[in-house]
Amino acid sequence: MAGGTTSSGRSKVKAKGVDDSHRANAPVEDTTNLHQLEAQHGILGIVLLLFCGTVSSYLCTYLPEALTRADLDRHPTAFIAERAWDNLQVLNDFGPKPTGSQANELKAADYIRREIEKAKVTAHAAQLVETSHQTISGAYPIAFLGNPLTSVYRNVQNLVVRLAGQKNADGSGDALMLNCHYDTVASSPGASDDGGSCAVMLEILRVLSRAPERNRHSIVFLFNGAEETPLQAAHGFVSQHPWAGEVRAFLNLESAGSGGKEQLFQAGPQHPWLIEAYGRAVRHPAAQTVAEEIFQSGIIPSDTDFRIFRDFGHMPGMDFAHTINGYRYHTKFDTIDYLSLPVLQRTGDNILALTREIANGDELGRASNDTQLTSGYSVFFDVLGLFFVSYSAAMGRIVNVTIAVLSLIIPLMELCRQVRRVGERSVFQQALVGLLGTVCGTGTSVGVVLVIANRLDAVGRAMSWYSTPYLILGLYGCPVILMHCFAHRLCGHWFSDNKSPLNLTQIVRARLVGVNLFWTLLIIPLTLANIRSAYIILVLLVLSLLSTILTSVLGYQRLPRRWLALHLAFQIPAMLWATKFYHVLLKLFVPITGRMGAGSNPEYLIALLVACFGVLCVSYLVPLVGLLKQTSELTARLSVFAMIAFLLSCCTQVGFPYRNESNGEPSLQRHYVTHTLQVAQRDGRPVLEGAGFLFREMDRNAIRVIRGIAKPSEAVQMRRMASCRTMLFCGVPFYSIWHQIRFDNYWMEGSPPAIEKHTLPSFELVQVKQHSNKIRQYGFEITHRHQTCVQSALIIAPKSGARLVAWSLMETVPGTIEFNGEWAHFVLITYGLADNAPWPVTFDFEYDPNVVPDGSDDKLFDVSWVNTYWEYADKHTDEFRKLIEQFPDWAHVIPSVAIVNITAY
């Protein structure tokens, strides 16, 4: 290896054909040992990396100070977090607010309506505040994971406010819309998801309505009451509300965590003017194109109203979400106790400024017909939250290729100029050694961390880092750095050349050019594939290029220590940049592993993230090991750190994945448990009944807890239930394609749940009409008379020779989904406000009269009518209560009661 040869020894080697004039041009320090470093300097490099990681972590979570009512006199037009906090406190105190519950449909809706009326009363005389209370029913097709479903909603609510703008000359108006949802999932107060956003919108409404002048364009505030169902009230607005036609753009406020910065993670589609407006207006930017591309890849098990506004409303917009502390997302700990005033202040400052910018700009009025505004994608990113950068994707392609080429040409020319013709070949050889070392380091680090991930899972220690993410640094970070060090050392040893005219510093600089080549070979294909996230690599290449140019300008080529200092100075912003992505993505994905199901090993995901962003962090540091006299001290210490992490993970309580609230930072294991009654009917009479408990396996370790509560002999895999032989879709209480099809669930037999029949939505056949010898229509009535949180599902499975061709739910009939070898149409029905009037629905089946003779009593289809109660705690049986109590205190249990009624028609 180059690092093993002293400079004094190398200076005595005379290359063939090197004359005295060439030697005269050799660096002065060539005859000294100054450019070799002691072993401890390698440790300082690791310390520098950790320091940069600490700074970037702080910048990722830094929040501004909050304003209170005492600041009103000095900031009369500013967002006041304390007023928003008061609204959030009330919404939080209502507790969980799932759609259909009294807390959501009556209490929360009534409270928000009253706050809107207060804003209307206190508005400035110049303002016109209009309100609308929308109660809507509808249906639309949508697909999750490629599985189609029909989403139906009945009497869900939207509270809508329009702050009128200055009218256009023709009397029409264009509007910007702000959207939040005040409903929550069952068992979660939803302070962050999404009560905080609604509180922010109420305060923005107050501030803007008291301004002495109207905005140029109208602003619509949509408080929707059915987002978690999923996304239904938003569809009701865009498809049925008269103001929806005015909306030219929207801002959607969401949350997938509990606090932190609101990240802009989706924009458009296209409409680059939105990103430009964000850049002009937002004081505290937090936006990354990579977040948009990750979210739209489908890897994150969530969706937002952005999808509805985009796909059904054909509106462009921006999607914001808090992502810190995703452990508390959709749990009982998503409360105001785990939020802070600065969270609301930062979000309010940014959204208020962006609202003002868009509502008073030219673009909103031109967005519907100006193709220059609406076409093209943007590359956008914040730099450590300090400032914001955006440019067009077309410009990005030019910049990426240009910088990639310059990052190779300029340092190669500069090095070749030093050694002239006799050393040019060695420069290119060492650049290829640097490339090979980086490629081998990347490949071996990926392989090693995947092996570690596999072994940790095999010994039952998966997710040991879940509550203590710093263990990831030892478990995966240290092996990544070690593999890169070993790869560069071995490549340097294999391809060492004692006759090289290059001194040690020049060898290392040439190998750094190889690192540039590595990133060039990545950024160009990514750019050609229209992957806009290639800007992450671009920043590294820009900093490397600037370092090279400044080295040449200052004449540091002959001064190794000054060159090294300058190189490290430029690597500090590079490491801040790279470690920012490490923190942002791990803070996002580590909590997500707790709700990704058990079907895949989460260790692989985390290992790959660390390997990928590890090479970003160390690629320009590792070649510097060639300057060290010895690397054994560095590798030994990294090995010790890795071993300590392994011991902590595998042999101590530190590696236990979950924590209760005793330390103030709960990180819970999630469990959905459904007490289920299964009934199969024939000609209106029950012929088969079963009952038990369905457990959903939400993460890799959930089965251990399930088998500890339900004995192994009692816990049966869902697709092996006895009812799979006698009931449609195994008699499973289907209500979520994502969880029922993708996740592994388990069944334990038990006694039937207690059901109040009058609260149960009904599905009754009222008539059968024969339209032709091939078409038969079935008429049903659905009723929902009791104000409670219950969701229904229809699973309609046509028999052989029959086909569902039309229904009254909507104009089209989506395709079928497959479960356990059976195919059926899946309909999810959500109820908001109760309704005494029955709801008639019809289904038209086409069939082959040779298979089903006309007028016969043969059945054409099977129906599974599923009703799931999400708020039924006061009706839980003693057996169900005892079962729930068996879960440990670090588990979050979401109980429900379901009735599955299967009938052939």
Side-chain angles (χ1 to χ4, degrees):
M1 183 181 177
T5 305
T6 63
S7 62
S8 56
R10 184 177 296 280
S11 67
K12 296 177 183 178
V13 177
K14 292 186 180 180
K16 237 178 195 181
V18 178
D19 58 21
D20 290 340
S21 65
H22 290 131
R23 290 195 301 273
N25 289 328
V28 176
E29 294 180 7
D30 249 18
T31 58
T32 72
N33 198 33
L34 290 177
H35 63 286
Q36 273 207 315
L37 303 175
E38 298 298 330
Q40 61 265 28
H41 286 88
I43 305 300
L44 292 178
I46 301 299
V47 172
L48 181 62
L49 177 61
L50 293 174
F51 171 76
C52 290
T54 302
V55 173
S56 62
S57 177
Y58 170 77
L59 293 175
C60 283
T61 55
Y62 171 76
L63 297 171
E65 291 187 7
L67 298 180
T68 66
R69 285 186 173 85
D71 298 303
L72 269 172
D73 291 338
R74 290 183 295 119
H75 305 284
T77 62
F79 182 95
I80 304 298
E82 188 178 35
R83 293 193 299 199
W85 185 265
D86 293 341
N87 294 140
L88 178 57
Q89 181 71 66
V90 176
L91 292 172
N92 177 85
D93 290 346
F94 289 145
K97 298 171 284 295
T99 303
S101 66
Q102 293 188 21
N104 188 69
E105 306 305 326
L106 305 181
K107 296 179 182 179
D110 185 59
Y111 174 74
I112 293 174
R113 189 164 49 245
R114 292 200 309 269
E115 290 301 302
I116 290 171
E117 289 302 321
K118 289 179 184 177
K120 186 175 181 179
V121 170
T122 58
H124 193 278
Q127 301 292 342
L128 174 61
V129 181
E130 302 170 279
T131 62
S132 171
H133 181 191
Q134 185 186 28
T135 302
I136 53 228
S137 300
Y140 59 96
I142 196 168
F144 292 96
L145 302 173
N147 297 289
L149 69 86
T150 301
S151 182
V152 179
Y153 49 94
R154 301 291 300 170
N155 297 325
V156 300
Q157 299 184 83
N158 282 322
L159 303 172
V160 195
V161 186
R162 179 168 65 179
L163 190 61
Q166 302 167 15
K167 291 292 182 180
N168 295 333
D170 60 358
S172 64
D174 303 302
L176 169 70
M177 181 175 70
L178 276 66
N179 175 71
C180 72
H181 67 91
Y182 58 88
D183 68 309
T184 72
V185 296
S187 302
S188 176
S192 182
D193 182 27
D194 196 26
S197 297
C198 290
V200 165
M201 279 176 48
L202 284 171
E203 175 61 10
I204 291 175
L205 172 61
R206 273 191 290 264
V207 173
L208 294 178
S209 66
R210 296 173 185 177
E213 294 183 4
R214 289 193 190 184
N215 296 292
R216 181 172 181 177
H217 302 289
S218 299
I219 303 172
V220 174
F221 297 81
L222 172 58
F223 300 86
N224 87 63
E227 189 269 351
E228 302 287 3
T229 50
L231 319 180
Q232 292 172 325
H235 180 269
F237 175 81
V238 300
S239 63
Q240 300 180 48
H241 201 285
W243 294 346
E246 300 178 7
V247 176
R248 301 290 177 261
F250 67 88
L251 308 178
N252 184 48
L253 309 186
E254 260 291 357
S255 180
S258 181
K261 298 180 178 181
E262 81 297 333
Q263 296 281 340
L264 170 60
F265 67 98
Q266 284 193 103
Q270 301 197 53
H271 286 261
W273 65 272
L274 288 169
I275 293 297
E276 294 171 5
Y278 181 91
R280 294 192 301 267
V282 170
R283 294 169 52 192
H284 315 291
Q288 296 289 340
T289 301
V290 66
E292 177 176 87
E293 294 190 326
I294 287 175
F295 187 83
Q296 293 180 353
S297 72
I299 190 175
I300 296 178
S302 295
D303 217 333
T304 74
D305 286 325
F306 183 99
R307 178 178 182 179
I308 300 297
F309 299 140
R310 177 194 65 198
D311 295 349
F312 294 93
H314 308 293
M315 306 170 180
M318 289 187 271
D319 216 355
F320 299 87
H322 301 97
T323 59
I324 299 297
N325 285 318
Y327 304 106
R328 300 192 275 271
Y329 170 71
H330 282 190
T331 74
K332 61 185 176 183
F333 291 113
D334 184 8
T335 68
I336 199 169
D337 298 331
Y338 294 96
L339 287 177
S340 64
L341 281 169
V343 172
L344 300 185
Q345 186 66 53
R346 179 200 153 85
T347 303
D349 285 345
N350 285 344
I351 302 302
L352 176 59
L354 183 57
T355 300
R356 283 172 168 155
E357 176 69 27
I358 296 176
N360 292 286
D362 295 329
E363 297 95 338
L364 196 68
R366 296 160 47 203
S368 59
N369 51 30
D370 189 338
T371 55
Q372 290 185 344
L373 284 177
T374 60
S375 60
Y377 290 89
S378 297
V379 177
F380 57 90
F381 54 89
D382 71 277
V383 179
L384 300 172
L386 303 177
F387 58 92
F388 184 72
V389 177
S390 69
Y391 46 86
S392 70
M395 176 62 71
R397 287 189 287 272
I398 297 172
V399 171
N400 289 354
V401 174
T402 302
I403 294 297
V405 172
L406 290 177
S407 70
L408 296 177
I409 293 176
I410 290 179
L412 284 174
M413 289 178 58
E414 197 273 335
L415 277 170
C416 290
R417 183 175 59 83
Q418 292 181 54
V419 298
R420 299 186 181 177
R421 286 172 295 180
V422 297
E424 290 176 356
R425 181 176 179 181
S426 294
V427 169
F428 286 103
Q429 286 177 338
Q430 292 303 323
L432 292 176
V433 171
L435 170 65
L436 182 63
T438 308
V439 171
C440 292
T442 302
T444 55
S445 64
V446 169
V448 166
V449 295
L450 289 179
V451 170
I452 294 171
N454 179 272
R455 292 299 85 200
L456 283 172
D457 182 61
V459 299
R461 304 303 296 182
M463 299 175 62
S464 58
W465 32 258
Y466 187 67
S467 294
T468 49
Y470 66 82
L471 288 177
I472 295 173
L473 290 174
L475 289 172
Y476 297 118
C478 287
V480 165
I481 299 175
L482 279 170
M483 290 304 103
H484 279 279
C485 289
F486 288 148
H488 276 271
R489 183 175 180 179
L490 288 174
C491 288
H493 176 73
W494 289 336
F495 297 98
S496 62
D497 181 8
N498 290 331
K499 296 183 180 181
S500 172
L502 305 180
N503 64 40
L504 188 57
T505 304
Q506 290 168 335
I507 289 174
V508 172
R509 291 179 61 199
R511 290 179 182 173
L512 287 170
V513 178
V515 178
N516 286 352
L517 179 56
F518 171 81
W519 289 121
T520 296
L521 294 175
L522 280 180
I523 194 173
I524 290 180
L526 290 174
T527 301
L528 295 177
N530 294 319
I531 305 297
R532 292 172 290 142
S533 299
Y535 72 89
I536 298 175
I537 300 172
L538 175 70
V539 172
L540 296 183
L541 289 175
V542 167
L543 291 170
S544 174
L545 182 60
L546 291 175
S547 174
T548 299
I549 293 173
L550 198 57
T551 296
S552 180
V553 170
L554 297 176
Y556 286 174
Q557 309 94 317
R558 304 170 185 273
L559 302 171
R561 290 188 181 273
R562 293 189 181 182
W563 162 77
L564 180 60
L566 184 64
H567 174 75
L568 291 176
F570 273 90
Q571 282 310 295
I572 289 175
M575 286 186 286
L576 288 170
W577 172 255
T579 54
K580 169 194 170 72
F581 291 99
Y582 173 88
H583 290 302
V584 168
L585 291 180
L586 284 185
K587 288 178 186 297
L588 171 66
F589 279 106
V590 166
I592 282 177
T593 60
R595 52 189 175 93
M596 288 180 65
S600 58
N601 181 3
E603 296 288 336
Y604 290 147
L605 172 62
I606 300 303
L608 287 173
L609 284 175
V610 175
C612 291
F613 288 96
V615 67
L616 276 176
C617 295
V618 304
S619 60
Y620 287 97
L621 291 181
V622 174
L624 301 181
V625 299
L627 296 175
L628 299 177
K629 292 181 179 179
Q630 292 181 342
T631 59
S632 56
E633 183 175 350
L634 172 63
T635 56
R637 293 196 181 186
L638 287 173
S639 300
V640 168
F641 294 151
M643 290 303 300
I644 291 174
F646 276 110
L647 291 173
L648 290 174
S649 299
C650 299
C651 304
T652 71
Q653 190 66 19
V654 174
F656 185 73
Y658 312 104
R659 302 286 187 272
N660 59 26
E661 71 273 25
S662 60
N663 66 346
E665 295 290 335
S667 49
L668 308 177
Q669 186 182 63
R670 301 157 190 265
H671 289 273
Y672 285 75
V673 185
T674 306
H675 195 181
T676 306
L677 174 65
Q678 302 166 308
V679 180
Q681 296 195 19
R682 181 75 177 182
D683 298 325
R685 296 188 303 275
V687 295
L688 187 67
E689 291 195 8
F693 305 94
L694 189 70
F695 301 86
R696 189 188 302 174
E697 195 175 18
M698 292 292 291
D699 71 22
R700 193 70 168 179
N701 299 313
I703 185 57
R704 298 182 191 172
V705 177
I706 293 171
R707 292 197 182 280
I709 292 171
K711 297 176 183 178
S713 60
E714 298 175 341
V716 179
Q717 286 188 346
M718 179 175 58
R719 289 171 175 81
R720 297 182 180 178
M721 296 163 54
S723 57
C724 288
R725 297 187 295 271
T726 58
M727 294 185 176
L728 176 63
F729 275 30
C730 299
V732 169
F734 247 79
Y735 52 83
S736 165
I737 286 180
W738 177 270
H739 296 108
Q740 263 88 4
I741 289 182
R742 185 175 182 271
F743 289 6
D744 291 326
N745 294 330
Y746 291 83
W747 175 262
M748 183 181 73
E749 291 187 356
S751 60
I755 302 296
E756 291 185 329
K757 298 294 184 182
H758 70 279
T759 68
L760 188 67
S762 63
F763 179 75
E764 298 178 353
L765 179 66
V766 293
Q767 65 178 357
V768 178
K769 292 182 179 179
Q770 194 73 37
H771 287 302
S772 70
N773 66 332
K774 291 185 178 181
I775 302 293
R776 186 184 298 172
Q777 184 181 83
Y778 293 79
F780 294 86
E781 285 187 347
I782 298 175
T783 59
H784 172 244
R785 297 188 177 93
H786 192 75
Q787 190 65 64
T788 187
C789 179
V790 59
Q791 270 186 309
S792 299
L794 274 172
I795 301 168
I796 305 168
K799 292 183 178 295
S800 178
R803 185 167 65 96
L804 179 61
V805 294
W807 56 12
S808 61
L809 298 180
M810 58 185 185
E811 293 182 358
T812 60
V813 179
T816 56
I817 63 171
E818 185 273 336
F819 178 80
N820 202 40
E822 297 178 300
W823 293 85
H825 302 275
F826 180 59
V827 180
L828 178 68
I829 305 173
T830 300
Y831 308 99
L833 292 168
D835 186 3
N836 287 327
W839 168 37
V841 295
T842 59
F843 303 91
D844 292 1
F845 283 86
E846 181 182 63
Y847 62 95
D848 184 350
N850 294 321
V851 177
V852 183
D854 187 25
S856 74
D857 291 332
D858 288 357
K859 309 301 183 182
L860 295 186
F861 61 102
D862 292 313
V863 170
S864 179
W865 172 242
V866 182
N867 287 282
T868 303
Y869 293 88
W870 290 106
E871 289 193 327
Y872 218 61
D874 56 338
K875 303 296 186 301
H876 288 171
T877 63
D878 291 339
E879 182 182 9
F880 195 21
R881 290 193 185 96
K882 290 177 182 178
L883 183 71
I884 295 172
E885 290 170 358
Q886 292 182 52
F887 283 87
D889 60 357
W890 41 260
H892 174 60
V893 181
I894 301 95
S896 56
V897 174
I899 299 90
V900 181
N901 200 314
I902 300 173
T903 309
Y905 294 97

